[in-house]
Amino acid sequence: MRAIILCKLGISVISKVIDELKEIPQITKVMSLTGDFDVLAEIEVESSEELFDIFANKIDLIDGIISSNTHLIMKAWEK
Amino acid sequence: MKITNKYIINIIVANLLWSFIPIVATGLFDGISIITIVVLRFLIAGVVLFFIAILLAISNNYFNKDTRIPIKEYFLSLKHKNRRFYNVRTYNYYFLIGFFGIIIHILFFFFALKTTSIPFTSIGILLTIIFVALYEKGVNFEKFDIFRILFILMLTFVIIIIISVSFRGAQLSGTPIELRGIIYLILYSITGSFLYISIERDSFSKNELRNINKNKYYKIPRALIKMSIAFISGVIILIPVLIIIVLLPYETDFTQESVKFFSDLGSLNSILFRWEILYLIIFATIIPYLLIFLANVNWKTTSLTYSQWSSILGLIDPMNTLIFAVLLSNEYFPHEYLIIIAVLLVITIALRYAHEVKNVINAYILLRIKRSSLNTLPLRILKFYGIKEIYSLMGNFDLMLKVRVNSFKDFHYLINRKIKPLNEILEVEVQFVDKIEKI
């Protein structure tokens, strides 16, 4: 199960937040963005419980994340 | 930025193998027609690559758990119109690449090699790089940033050094470089630029995109079939052209080589088993093409695309050709100049890398779409140039498109001319990737 997390951050916290997100093993990709959101993270988990665990015990505890917007990936196409 | 892609080594090995072509081929020119060499090389390599493709397609169906793709599917797609290449049908696109980009291109290369010298011919690839850069500036309006200006300057220096040293070497050996040799070299660079620009203009039909997403190995046999059709069709078109050349009243280098080619046909067996011909077929065609196709197909999502890395590392070929020509073939080239050229070319590789990294645009496009369009819309969008992946999402947005293009012009075209006009799209939100932090 994969999901995309789009985060809005406070001021001067971007490198700290990115470093902490990178530490989470289930997070496979982290990118800093310019636009409405500041950071995009892709997460790969076994179940919704695991996703909840990571949110409750790791992502929610990172200081500097003002809001996050999570989207589950239902299907992927590539070329 | 980390280089984590192990397939870069494939491009390096392929370029190393190609760099020996001039040294190996010049040994054949006295006894065998240039045309015989080209015909044997591409006809046999084309047939072998075709059979490898069919074997891979069959084994893919039997040993892989993904959905089976019937062999005929690989050929049905040949009829679809290539929207990135003047809407010609795919088989015509392959014929054009095969005849002008490969067969004629290599013929001019060998003619230039025969009438000039190996160091002088190595200018051809450098000229091609400059021509392609000018094309991108003129046609695609790509910016001439400082790195691009510098790498073109470096290449110009290298070309000037090679020309002056080659002319001195020709004077010393008493075999001057002829004007027709220079013309062949320029024609070689022009056909090379055509190959370079057009080979990346392949497009997938909707059906092929469906197949790629059903079976992840579909792309490998497809790429091999593309190249084998290009090789074989190029050779087939060449034969009637040769007959016309022989019948024309004008005597040219092509007439002599064509007559020699038809007389070579009687002794094909002995020619075929010469080690130089076998090297050209196996190590300079089949193996490097297999290596670059594997690299192209398995290319991981790093910050640079396969074609960008391929263009950066393409400079290894002329560099090695020069070094090995001087070391192995006793070509006249003072070592101090060789060292200067090697240093300049290494700097050029670094500048090209800097140029490509600076110009790549990575972005995510988030879309809200109309209800009931989720089944058809993603495959329609996936066809657009620059779209690498599409995710169907559950959340605020319905689709996320992963985009990578080389210029803002391409990005602007994708958003405003391709995506926004789609009726099914309600909202478009663009997020540019500033930095890739973890992958």
Side-chain angles (χ1 to χ4, degrees), chain B residues 3 9 11 18 32 82 180 201 206 350 396 417 427:
Chain B
I3 301 168
I9 198 81
I11 304 177
W18 280 324
I32 306 169
N82 185 346
R180 61 193 172 126
R201 295 262 184 108
K206 210 166 165 183
N396 271 3
R417 304 284 289 278
E427 195 186 327

Side-chain angles (χ1 to χ4, degrees), chain A residues 1-8 14-15 18-19 21-42 68-79, chain B residues 83 204 209 212-213 216 219 301 364 366 374-375 378-379 381-400 402 429-439:
Chain A
M1 192 168 132
R2 282 196 295 165
I4 296 286
I5 308 163
L6 293 158
C7 305
K8 286 185 183 174
I14 188 151
S15 4
I18 283 172
D19 285 344
L21 284 171
K22 274 157 77 177
E23 292 298 309
I24 303 170
Q26 288 86 347
I27 288 187
T28 52
K29 254 182 226 172
V30 181
M31 294 187 194
S32 58
L33 305 174
T34 56
D36 271 6
F37 298 99
D38 301 303
V39 167
L40 176 149
E42 201 173 306
S68 70
N69 198 329
T70 304
H71 294 79
L72 282 183
I73 298 176
M74 297 192 287
K75 190 173 161 70
W77 295 266
E78 61 173 315
K79 68 176 173 190
Chain B
R83 59 191 173 274
F204 293 112
L209 289 174
I212 290 169
N213 283 285
K216 61 184 170 200
K219 283 199 277 185
T301 327
Y364 285 99
L366 295 156
L374 199 54
N375 264 331
L379 279 177
I381 296 177
L382 194 58
K383 287 200 307 187
F384 300 155
Y385 172 69
I387 304 280
K388 297 293 165 198
E389 260 178 86
I390 299 183
Y391 293 153
S392 150
L393 301 177
M394 208 158 69
N396 271 3
F397 295 95
D398 302 308
L399 289 178
M400 185 167 91
K402 204 188 265 183
E429 200 175 303
V430 177
Q431 303 286 330
F432 285 107
V433 174
D434 183 32
K435 202 172 166 195
I436 299 170
E437 305 279 355
K438 180 180 178 181
I439 202 149

Side-chain angles (χ1 to χ4, degrees), chain B residues 103-117:
Chain B
I103 303 295
I104 296 291
H105 169 61
I106 299 296
L107 276 178
F108 282 135
F109 175 56
F110 284 169
F111 273 114
L113 210 53
K114 195 174 178 178
T115 46
T116 62
S117 63

Side-chain angles (χ1 to χ4, degrees), chain B residues 265-285:
Chain B
L265 291 179
S267 53
L268 272 188
N269 271 343
S270 58
I271 294 173
L272 187 59
F273 290 104
R274 286 186 64 159
W275 75 268
E276 293 100 330
I277 293 280
L278 291 175
Y279 178 90
L280 288 177
I281 295 171
I282 299 167
F283 295 102
T285 316

Side-chain angles (χ1 to χ4, degrees), chain B residues 116-219:
Chain B
T116 62
S117 63
I118 298 177
F120 190 76
T121 321
S122 65
I123 296 170
I125 298 176
L126 311 179
L127 269 181
T128 304
I129 294 168
I130 296 179
F131 287 163
V132 172
L134 294 175
Y135 167 87
E136 280 166 356
K137 166 78 180 156
V139 179
N140 288 348
F141 306 108
E142 276 193 20
K143 221 179 104 192
F144 256 42
D145 61 13
I146 185 72
F147 297 117
R148 183 172 280 216
I149 293 169
L150 281 174
F151 89 62
I152 289 179
L153 267 178
M154 291 285 168
L155 288 179
T156 318
F157 280 141
V158 173
I159 290 173
I160 292 169
I161 295 173
I162 296 176
I163 289 176
S164 52
V165 174
S166 301
F167 272 92
R168 212 163 75 193
Q171 252 177 1
L172 289 173
S173 66
T175 47
I177 290 169
E178 295 170 51
L179 179 67
R180 61 193 172 126
I182 299 170
I183 295 171
Y184 289 140
L185 190 77
I186 293 170
L187 289 170
Y188 160 63
S189 307
I190 293 171
T191 46
S193 311
F194 168 74
L195 175 70
Y196 188 95
I197 292 161
S198 55
I199 200 141
E200 291 296 325
R201 295 262 184 108
D202 202 357
S203 74
F204 293 112
S205 68
K206 210 166 165 183
N207 202 28
E208 284 184 295
L209 289 174
R210 209 170 282 133
N211 288 337
I212 290 169
N213 283 285
K214 275 196 262 177
N215 189 312
K216 61 184 170 200
Y217 297 111
Y218 172 83
K219 283 199 277 185

